[in-house]
């Protein structure tokens, strides 16, 4: 396992033996690839030619004083 923190990724290319992740520090090759991009997953899947529509919903809760529970 190779981990490159804070290294921007610009794309993923399928290769005969797996994948090449294109990054600012050069390519990283792997037989398997996990896309764990959260809200950016749709863009990441497009690198592989996969249409994966992602809809992001933002839930916000502001508490100013103690109240009865509204969520479980």
């Amino acid at each position: 396992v190779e981990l490159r923190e804070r290294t921007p990724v610009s794309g993923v290319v399928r290769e005969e033996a797996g994948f090449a992740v294109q990054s600012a520090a050069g390519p990283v090759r792997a037989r398997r690839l996990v896309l764990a991009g959260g809200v950016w997953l749709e863009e990441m899947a497009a690198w592989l030619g996969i249409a994966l529509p992602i809809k992001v919903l933002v839930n916000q809760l502001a508490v100013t004083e103690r109240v009865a529970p509204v969520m479980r």
Side-chain angles (χ1 to χ4, degrees), residues 31-61:
R31 288 186 300 154
R32 294 189 178 111
L33 180 66
V34 176
L35 298 178
V39 297
W40 298 276
L41 186 57
E42 184 174 6
E43 179 184 349
M44 294 169 68
W47 294 336
L48 296 167
I50 300 169
L52 187 62
I54 302 291
K55 186 173 188 173
V56 178
L57 300 175
V58 178
N59 296 318
Q60 186 175 11
L61 179 65

